[in-house]
Amino acid sequence: MTVTTVRTEPEAEDTQAPPLTEYGTGLLRTTVLPLPDGTYEWRRAPGPLAPAPFVRLSPEAVARLADAAGRPAPGQVLLAPARPDGEARTYRVAGAESVAFVLLTTGVTPALHGPLRGLGRALRTLHETPLDELPAGRRSRGLDRLVTWLDGHTPSPRAAHAQAQVRRALGPGRWARVRGWAEEVTGDDRVVFAHGAAGLGSLVIGGPPGTAALLTGEDVCAAPWYVDLGWVVGELVELKWQLGGDPATWQLLIDALFDGYGRDLGTDWRKLAALRVLLHVHDIAAYLDDHQGGFDHYSSFLKFLTDL
């Protein structure tokens, strides 16, 4: 979840204010601009090394997403649909900070229980959206990057080196296990209308107390329900490992996510968490120029997850 500050992108057409913040990697660039009415425009664009553009939805799928966004949100997290802006996407939301930013700067806090519960509810609402307007074979861009890397076909020399390092550290047994988990997920045809890249960086807090918005649309795809939930759990588990803090409070965040969704992952949480951590290893290696370290510590954590 490391980010790198980059140079200023062109300003949005509806404001003259300078960006409040901007950051990015070779995969994704984000700019947050304050708007005159007190809200914020989040502009996200593919980075120069992104292997695929954002998803282009059909008019019917856009209507489905808008309908989902307009439904009541008992969890107080609203789905914020993407607005096309060339190759980028923009979102107008009440807040200027993501939950990922809060966790990285202030640590874990019980104040995030509400947003995590609402995130679970928002994902459930999205998953209950009819899927007939999405090609059933379309899988998430993240799963595509992960599988390509696991199969040894990455175009990035640094990512290829990282794959060899992690594969060697895990050993043949564990490597076969994670490959098998990836095949289980990509081979599961029980798909729903999925976010495709659900995560703490897309969950924006701010505005009235207890409210948040889930940026949605760049990666919308057909995927099993548990992928979105597992991606969030993977990020929480990884941050808990990296940042430390009260274990009970971290667990309550995961419990709140499951409570909001109305279903948990059972023992499969570790499989999905391991796949999400592996995808993060790939993205660090492939898209972060200033990453100087190796991945020995990630390999140790992955051993822990695969041996549970």
Side-chain angles (χ1 to χ4, degrees), residues 23-77:
Y23 50 90
T25 69
L27 179 66
L28 175 69
R29 291 181 171 179
T30 301
T31 305
V32 181
L33 301 112
L35 299 178
D37 64 358
T39 62
Y40 297 88
E41 181 182 86
W42 284 61
R43 184 178 189 274
R44 309 218 299 183
L49 302 178
F54 289 154
V55 168
R56 293 187 182 278
L57 295 175
S58 68
E60 293 79 9
V62 170
R64 297 282 193 192
L65 182 57
D67 177 66
R71 292 179 218 164
Q76 296 184 313
V77 169

Side-chain angles (χ1 to χ4, degrees), residues 157-184:
R158 290 188 305 171
H161 178 74
Q163 194 253 35
Q165 181 183 357
V166 173
R167 181 174 184 166
R168 190 163 49 246
L170 293 185
R174 294 189 186 92
W175 187 255
R177 205 174 305 159
V178 297
R179 288 285 304 278
W181 292 344
E183 290 175 4
E184 285 179 21

